[in-house]
Structures are given as C-alpha cells and as structure tokens.
Amino acid sequence: MEKVISDFMDLVKVRNQHEPEFLQAVEEVAETVIPYIVNHEIYKGKNILLRMVEPERVIMFRVPWVDDKGEIIVNRGYRIQMNSAIGPYKGGLRFHPTVNLSILKFLAFEQVFKNALTTLPMGGGKGGSDFDPKGKSDDEIMRFCHSFMSELSRHIGSNTDVPAGDIGVGGREIGFLFGMYKKMRNEFTGVLTGKGTTWGGSLIRPEATGYGTVYFAQNMLEKRGDSLKDKIATVSGSGNVAQYACEKATQLGAKVVTMSDSSGYIYDKEGIDADKLAFVMDLKNNRRGRISEYVEMYPNAKFISGNRPWDVKCDIAMPCATQNEINGDEAKTLLNNGCFVISEGANMPSEPEAIMAFQAAKILYAPGKASNAGGVATSGLEMSQNSLRINWTREEVDTRLKKIMSDIHDSCIKFGKEENGYIDYVRGANIAGFVKVADAMLAQGVV
Ligand code: NDP
C-alpha cells in the first residue's frame, strides 16, 4: 500500500513541485483514501484521485489600484475552481501577503472534501490575493476590492462559483466586492456569501465557523459522555473564527484563556468572558488594533510576544488562526499538559508531525475540513435563502448548523471508527468527502 501511495505522490510532486502546502494537503488525503480505493472495486482504474488533485480551472489576474498617496500598486489575484462535481464552486477569498498558488490550491482541495461533508450541494474553490489589508484605509480597501472584482466578476456567478470571506476578508470587503459585481453584471444575486443581513446575508453566518468548531468539539465530547463544562480552552487567532469559537465555548461552560495574532498571544487565566470578548471584537473589528492592547485594558492578563499559545495548560485547543500553526513539538507540549481535545477552526493548522502525535495519543482530534465546515455550511444556507428569497431566523439557522455539524460527526464515525472503538476523524472525514465527490464524478463520466 505504501508503494501505491508513494507512486501517486511522486506523480503529483512532478506536476506541483513548488507547492509545499498543496502537496501536504494531498498527501494527508492520499494516505487515507488510497487504501479505501484499493479495497473498493468501483473506484479502481478510474484515476479518480488524480483527477481530483488537478483543478478544473486556475484563474490568475492583475489587480492594479491607486493608494491614498496616488501611487499605482499592482497585486496578483487568483481563483482556483477545483471541483464542481456536486455543485457550483464554493470557497472563500483570502487577502494576505503570503497568498500564493500553493496556499490557495491546498485550501481549494480541502474545500472540496469539506463541502461534500456538509451534506449540501457545493463544489470546491478558493481564491484571493497577496494584497495586505493591514494598515490600509477604508478607501484603499474599497479601491482594491473594486479592481479585484472587476476581473473576478467574469468568472463567477450564483450558479457557477460563489466566493465568501477568509483571512483578511470580512463583512467590509464582501460589501465592496458585492457592490462592484452588482454594477458590472447589473444583477442583484447571491454571488457572494457573508453579505450584510439587510442585503441578502444570513443571520449566524459571521458566527458559523467558530460556533461550528465548538459544536464539533461538543459532539466529540458527548460521544464519550463528557461536555465542555469547566474545561480550560486555548484559542489561537483573534479574527472572525477565533472570536466566535471563544464566544460559544464560553456560553457552553468552558473557560477560554488565550487568544493571539501574528505578534503573539495573550493569556488571561481568569478567562475571556463576554465583556472581555466584546472588547476584543471592538479592538479587532472596528479599531483594527493588536491583541497586545488587551493587557492595557486587563492588566491581570499577560502578553507573550512572538509565541503561539500551545504551551498553556488546557483541556481543549482550538487553533483558529492559520495553516501550520502547531508543529510536532508544540503538539507534544499540548499532550504533556493534558490537552485531550483538538478542534481545528483554521484550515490545516496542524503540521503532519503534530497530527501523528495527536493520533498516536488517541485523543479527540478533529481536522479542520470536518470541524470548521460550519462556515461554508451556513454559506450554503445563505445561498438557499437567496434562492428562496426569504430570511430564516437566528434560531432556525443555528438549529440547521448544529444538525449539520452533528451529521458531519456521524459521517466521520461511519468511515473512521476502528475496531477498538477509537475514531480516526481524519480518515473518516477524508473518505466520507471522497465517496460523495467520487460517486458524482463517476456518474458524470470523464469530464
Ligand atoms: P481573520 O482574518 O478574521 O483572522 C485571522 C487571525 O489569524 C488574525 O488574528 C490573524 O492575526 C491571525 N493570523 C493570520 N495569519 C497568521 C499567521 N501567519 N501567523 C499568526 N497568526 C496569523 O480570518 P478568519 O478568522 O476568517 O480565518 C482564520 C482561519 O480559519 C483561516 O485558516 C481560515 O482559512 C479558516 N476558516 C475561516 C472560515 C471563515 O468562515 N472565515 C471558514 C473556515 C475556515 P493578524 O491580525 O496579526 O494577521
């Protein structure tokens, strides 16, 4: 089996030589899905996985815009349309200086499996730009978003490809992008999700990824007869996903003691309660400040510069910042400190050595493509509401989100439960996602 997997990876490496993140994501899937393919006659000889690692389409484009000083800046824009076997391409846009083809292809590949897991009819895609929103004025953000959309609008549509937010793309950016799409195409349509609630957005969409990550942790704990009550949780990041993971975990009885950004993390041993979280939300979303400012407001907390929060003792860790933010050593520190639940809010936050350590220790480890799928699932619910031209209540959307997270958990058990009772959530998520997409691809022939 190892030879079949390494032969497959050799093929993928030749074609994608300078794309380490993409190769990392493919290898994790290949290791679990290839043994399944080998044991299931219908997939044999169809090169299904080889077809799935090749994007249906990659779009790259120039994004010129004028800054506040009148200087012309040129950024690069991308959209990866990875797989449309089960529905229109769907996946976020990331604006961050580190964005490149490798990162977006890994995200688009993960998205294919994640979207299949949600039970909703959505294919997978991802896009973005190496534009850095930090330190830019609202006008600069608007000019960049308008330029970006003036090209992207040719390639997307409510039945073709429906982008959403990701790192650096929140409600403000979605508004500017939507405005330009509407102008270019002269249609008011559900082409983006994460819209404002007065112009087609869904209640709970901003909260959905973070809430879903916590619901998934709750599902894993409940399976063991346990709950979040009185658990100590560490969260990384202080953006959209981290904020709502912190909110829901606190509501369900856990004490969240850390949050972070790319400068370092804060440790508040008394817990980041609702009032403190409101301060963080205002700091990050309105004043666009740094997490270090937390300790000026709450002097009992500490700011640890340049580090990630994984050396803080906890029961539950929720990485909600970015890819590869837990390495093998940090995973061992988490385990040595008694952490026994990892629910990933970010995409691929754990390096392969960290995943191996979590699995060897047989803790409850949920990969992002399962545990953070609540965001895209609720985007799917936003698309449904747009098509129906109605708005569901907060309760209705939250109930659907909970049900979807619980269904994803069940799918992971179906394909990931081992004879000794241990649930391999990585294998479960990968195979469940694969089966749905692969079966659709088989039905549609070689296209
Ligand atoms: P935001 O831009 O709202 O927040 C990102 C947070 O992560 C910020 O605190 C940021 O700090 C920190 N961060 C970003 N890059 C790095 C880095 N290289 N090192 C350390 N910290 C970093 O993004 P989101 O909350 O939307 O996204 C967070 C993660 O969740 C991403 O992996 C994303 O792909 C994933 N995700 C998001 C979904 C969504 O609905 N938004 C859906 C599913 C997954 P700083 O301000 O210093 O940059």
Side-chain angles (χ1 to χ4, degrees), residues 94 96 98 107 114 126 134 165-169 205 209 237-242 260-263 284 289-290 320-323 345-347 372-373 375-376:
R94 177 176 292 191
H96 196 272
T98 57
L107 289 163
K114 183 192 307 193
K126 200 84 190 189
K134 271 202 206 99
D166 190 79
I167 291 177
V169 179
R205 175 60 190 93
T209 310
S238 49
N240 172 266
V241 180
S260 72
D261 60 23
S262 50
S263 319
K284 298 304 278 188
R290 309 301 298 158
C320 297
T322 192
Q323 66 276 354
N347 285 307
N372 73 31
V376 72

Side-chain angles (χ1 to χ4, degrees), residues 267-270 276 292-303:
Y267 172 49
D268 184 341
K269 70 173 186 315
E270 291 156 15
K276 293 173 181 175
S292 54
E293 292 167 53
Y294 184 96
V295 296
E296 290 161 24
M297 184 72 181
Y298 303 106
N300 285 346
K302 284 191 237 162
F303 175 66

Side-chain angles (χ1 to χ4, degrees), residues 327-378:
N327 64 29
D329 289 341
E330 288 165 322
K332 282 184 202 126
T333 306
L334 278 164
L335 293 168
N336 288 340
N337 281 337
C339 175
F340 70 103
V341 182
I342 311 278
S343 192
E344 295 183 342
N347 285 307
M348 208 171 74
S350 306
E351 291 186 4
E353 296 72 27
I355 299 176
M356 269 160 57
F358 296 145
Q359 292 194 316
K362 302 256 182 271
I363 64 162
L364 299 173
Y365 166 67
K369 63 169 82 71
S371 48
N372 73 31
V376 72
T378 309

Side-chain angles (χ1 to χ4, degrees), residues 15-35:
R15 279 204 176 147
N16 305 280
Q17 285 182 25
H18 303 293
E19 298 177 6
E21 293 85 1
F22 178 59
L23 293 172
Q24 182 184 336
V26 171
E27 188 153 19
E28 185 219 278
V29 167
E31 279 167 356
T32 48
V33 164
I34 288 179

Side-chain angles (χ1 to χ4, degrees), residues 368-429:
K369 63 169 82 71
S371 48
N372 73 31
V376 72
T378 309
S379 278
L381 300 178
E382 183 172 330
M383 289 164 72
S384 304
Q385 293 169 80
N386 290 165
S387 299
L388 294 166
R389 302 203 185 282
I390 56 166
N391 298 314
W392 291 327
T393 61
R394 235 185 122 76
E395 291 67 36
E396 202 161 352
V397 180
D398 196 32
T399 304
R400 285 175 197 265
L401 169 62
K402 272 190 203 143
K403 167 87 171 69
I404 289 171
M405 296 316 295
S406 152
D407 287 348
I408 296 172
H409 186 257
D410 289 349
S411 297
C412 291
I413 294 179
K414 180 174 172 194
F415 291 102
K417 190 165 179 175
E418 297 182 350
E419 275 170 15
N420 61 10
Y422 172 69
I423 300 161
D424 181 340
Y425 286 94
V426 175
R427 191 157 58 90

